[in-house]
Amino acid sequence: MRDFPSCFGENGVQVADSSSSSSSGATKAAQNLVACVYQCKLHGRSFLINVTWTKNLMGQGLCVAVDDSTNQCLCKVEIKPWLFSKRKGSKNLEVDSSRVDIYWDLSGARFGSGPEPVEGYYLAVAYNQEMVLLLGDLKKEAYRKIDAAPINSNPIFIAKREHIFGKKFYGAKAQFCDKGLTHDITIECDTIDVKDPCLVIRIDSKTVMQVKRLKWKFRGNHTILVDGLPVEVFWDVHNWLFGNAMGNAVFMFQTCLSAEKFWACQSVFDPSVLTWSYSQRFKDNQLQGLGFSLLLSAWKNE
């Protein structure tokens, strides 16, 4: 457990979401959301498939978007809350003389506290009648109902973005490497009526980093080890300390696949390179293959 150097005010690493700068943006961004990004390959062509689950007062929603290797959106299917109630369906799209089929069956899905189903469902994406992504535990049922060839190369889960909620404690789960263990992440931070707030991050109940004198170190980054892999942790709690107390803080956990890439993706304390939008960094990591990225937007419950 270590303490950290100051981020030197505005020159620290900024992991802020521009959408949360206004009250209307903050209200929209605070919905219960989990977005997962998968890298898929077919016939030498690489795709990014973005699956976003949402839950708000209107109900639950699902959005599936397929991007090419340049991060350009090829197609997108959005299932609004009022359509989500059907819980079963398919969508056929034509993209550059190719066919993209998206199938889902959530009729028996079971959900926890979040918007993402836990079990009893499948979500499938096929490209020219070849399966490229199949999520859920009903894989046999999916293949029985969908006329598509089995997956040739397994998709890689490369990024996850999630909104989490709490007052002092915030929790999430993450699998930092393919076929690795699923870990419990706990973020502890009490900034209300506290003279000297402190940030503590635990992995599986074990403290891996602690930031004292948080008012001076409201932004920063530090490397921890999880499953023997270096994981770079970025934090930005400026909103909690100096902005809207009910606004969000942002945390990013980023793994690197090799030592060379690990040092390449390190941030240096240089004002000219340390101010960036988290969404751009998030996309850059996907395209450069810098391992797995977990982005958490932490919102305080009223």
Side-chain angles (χ1 to χ4, degrees):
M1 185 171 68
R2 298 175 55 183
D3 201 3
F4 303 96
S6 168
C7 291
F8 301 107
E10 294 299 323
N11 294 337
V13 180
Q14 183 173 357
V15 201
D17 182 359
S18 58
S19 68
S20 63
S21 58
S22 66
S23 57
S24 60
T27 302
K28 182 179 180 181
Q31 69 176 327
N32 206 343
L33 176 149
V34 173
C36 301
V37 183
Y38 302 87
Q39 187 177 52
C40 308
K41 289 187 177 181
L42 184 63
H43 302 312
R45 190 173 181 184
S46 182
F47 302 90
L48 291 178
I49 299 180
N50 300 267
V51 179
T52 303
W53 307 88
T54 57
K55 183 179 180 182
N56 52 36
L57 294 176
M58 296 290 293
Q60 290 174 293
L62 169 64
C63 179
V64 180
V66 181
D67 297 351
D68 63 15
S69 58
T70 64
N71 216 33
Q72 296 297 312
C73 184
L74 299 176
C75 62
K76 182 164 75 170
V77 172
E78 195 167 356
I79 306 168
K80 301 290 187 180
W82 50 89
L83 297 175
F84 192 89
S85 58
K86 295 181 180 179
R87 298 201 165 214
K88 183 188 293 187
S90 63
K91 188 72 174 179
N92 313 115
L93 303 165
E94 188 171 326
V95 180
D96 297 334
S97 301
S98 298
R99 178 174 168 175
V100 176
D101 300 303
I102 300 174
Y103 306 86
W104 64 92
D105 187 348
L106 305 163
S107 54
R110 287 174 286 280
F111 294 82
S113 57
E116 192 176 16
V118 177
E119 59 181 355
Y121 78 102
Y122 70 76
L123 171 65
V125 179
Y127 183 81
N128 286 338
Q129 293 188 299
E130 291 189 50
M131 197 78 78
V132 291
L133 180 68
L134 180 56
L135 304 178
D137 56 331
L138 302 183
K139 291 180 171 58
K140 290 183 179 179
E141 289 82 348
Y143 275 116
R144 279 201 299 265
K145 296 179 181 180
I146 301 171
D147 181 20
I151 296 176
N152 287 325
S153 59
N154 290 327
I156 303 173
F157 185 21
I158 62 172
K160 182 177 183 180
R161 181 165 61 96
E162 183 174 357
H163 289 184
I164 55 178
F165 302 84
K167 291 186 177 180
K168 180 180 177 181
F169 296 94
Y170 305 83
K173 293 182 180 291
Q175 186 178 356
F176 290 101
C177 61
D178 191 34
K179 298 181 181 178
L181 297 174
T182 299
H183 296 280
D184 291 312
I185 299 174
T186 304
I187 298 169
E188 179 183 353
C189 188
D190 189 358
T191 59
I192 300 177
D193 298 326
V194 176
K195 185 177 180 181
D196 188 13
C198 174
L199 171 66
V200 179
I201 295 180
R202 299 182 179 90
I203 305 290
D204 298 330
S205 301
K206 179 183 178 182
T207 300
V208 293
M209 57 173 277
Q210 180 176 350
V211 185
K212 297 180 180 179
R213 297 183 292 280
L214 197 58
K215 289 185 177 180
W216 290 95
K217 308 167 191 177
F218 52 84
R219 295 184 185 122
N221 64 301
H222 180 67
T223 306
I224 62 175
L225 287 176
V226 181
D227 296 332
L229 291 173
V231 177
E232 190 78 358
V233 181
F234 300 85
W235 70 90
D236 183 344
V237 296
H238 182 274
N239 278 351
W240 284 354
L241 294 169
F242 307 108
N244 181 359
M246 305 313 295
N248 70 309
V250 183
F251 303 87
M252 188 165 78
F253 298 77
Q254 175 191 309
T255 66
C256 293
L257 298 178
S258 67
E260 182 179 335
K261 284 185 177 180
F262 171 66
W263 291 112
C265 69
Q266 293 298 292
S267 292
V268 241
F269 287 104
D270 180 345
S272 66
V273 298
L274 285 188
T275 303
W276 38 263
S277 157
Y278 86 72
S279 57
Q280 185 59 48
R281 179 64 178 256
F282 197 56
K283 291 178 181 177
D284 289 347
N285 291 343
Q286 295 171 21
L287 297 176
Q288 294 170 14
L290 295 178
F292 175 79
S293 296
L294 171 67
L295 185 69
L296 301 175
S297 293
W299 300 84
K300 286 187 176 295
N301 287 328
E302 297 184 11

